């Protein structure tokens, strides 16, 4: 039964996530080839309106399907909306999604 629920959860997450991304991140894979992943970009200090409720955030983050990211993305350099970032921490949520907390890359 658990396997059936996990499969259902994965399908539901994938279906819903097709409609949520607001940005595409570009990074180099382990072979030096550019890869892209769609996700939800949340800029530092931004306030999002979710169903009439304001949600504040103080860290820049990018949320994407865990399977679309390298196994250990900490330290990974990526580009989002024309700006360069480095992944400071990666926080998988246990549902197939991971939030990458980002820092601006040194110029």
């Amino acid at each position: 039964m658990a396997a059936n629920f996990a499969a259902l959860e994965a399908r539901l997450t994938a279906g819903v996530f097709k409609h949520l991304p607001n940005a595409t991140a570009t990074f180099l894979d382990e072979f030096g080839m550019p890869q892209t992943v769609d996700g939800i970009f949340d800029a530092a200090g931004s306030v999002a309106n979710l169903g009439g409720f304001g949600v504040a955030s103080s860290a820049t983050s990018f949320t994407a399907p865990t399977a679309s990211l390298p196994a250990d993305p900490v330290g990974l350099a990526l580009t989002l909306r024309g700006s360069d970032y480095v992944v400071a921490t990666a926080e998988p949520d246990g549902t197939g999604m991971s939030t990458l907390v980002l820092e601006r890359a040194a110029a």
Side-chain angles (χ1 to χ4, degrees):
M1 186 67 146
N4 290 337
F5 180 77
L8 177 61
E9 181 180 41
R11 283 195 314 268
L12 181 62
T13 299
V16 169
F17 199 76
K18 287 180 182 179
H19 302 285
L20 295 178
N22 65 3
T24 299
T26 303
F27 62 91
L28 298 180
D29 67 14
E30 64 270 18
F31 304 107
M33 300 299 297
Q35 301 295 319
T36 60
V37 60
D38 291 331
I40 301 168
F41 179 65
D42 186 16
S46 67
V47 176
N49 182 3
L50 300 174
F53 296 98
V55 178
S57 172
S58 61
T60 300
S61 64
F62 182 72
T63 303
T66 303
S68 300
L69 301 169
D72 182 12
V74 174
L76 180 71
L78 53 86
T79 302
L80 275 160
R81 295 185 176 174
S83 296
D84 295 324
Y85 296 92
V86 174
V87 178
T89 63
E91 303 167 359
D93 68 3
T95 67
M97 303 298 288
S98 288
T99 298
L100 308 179
V101 177
L102 307 174
E103 297 175 345
R104 286 268 188 178

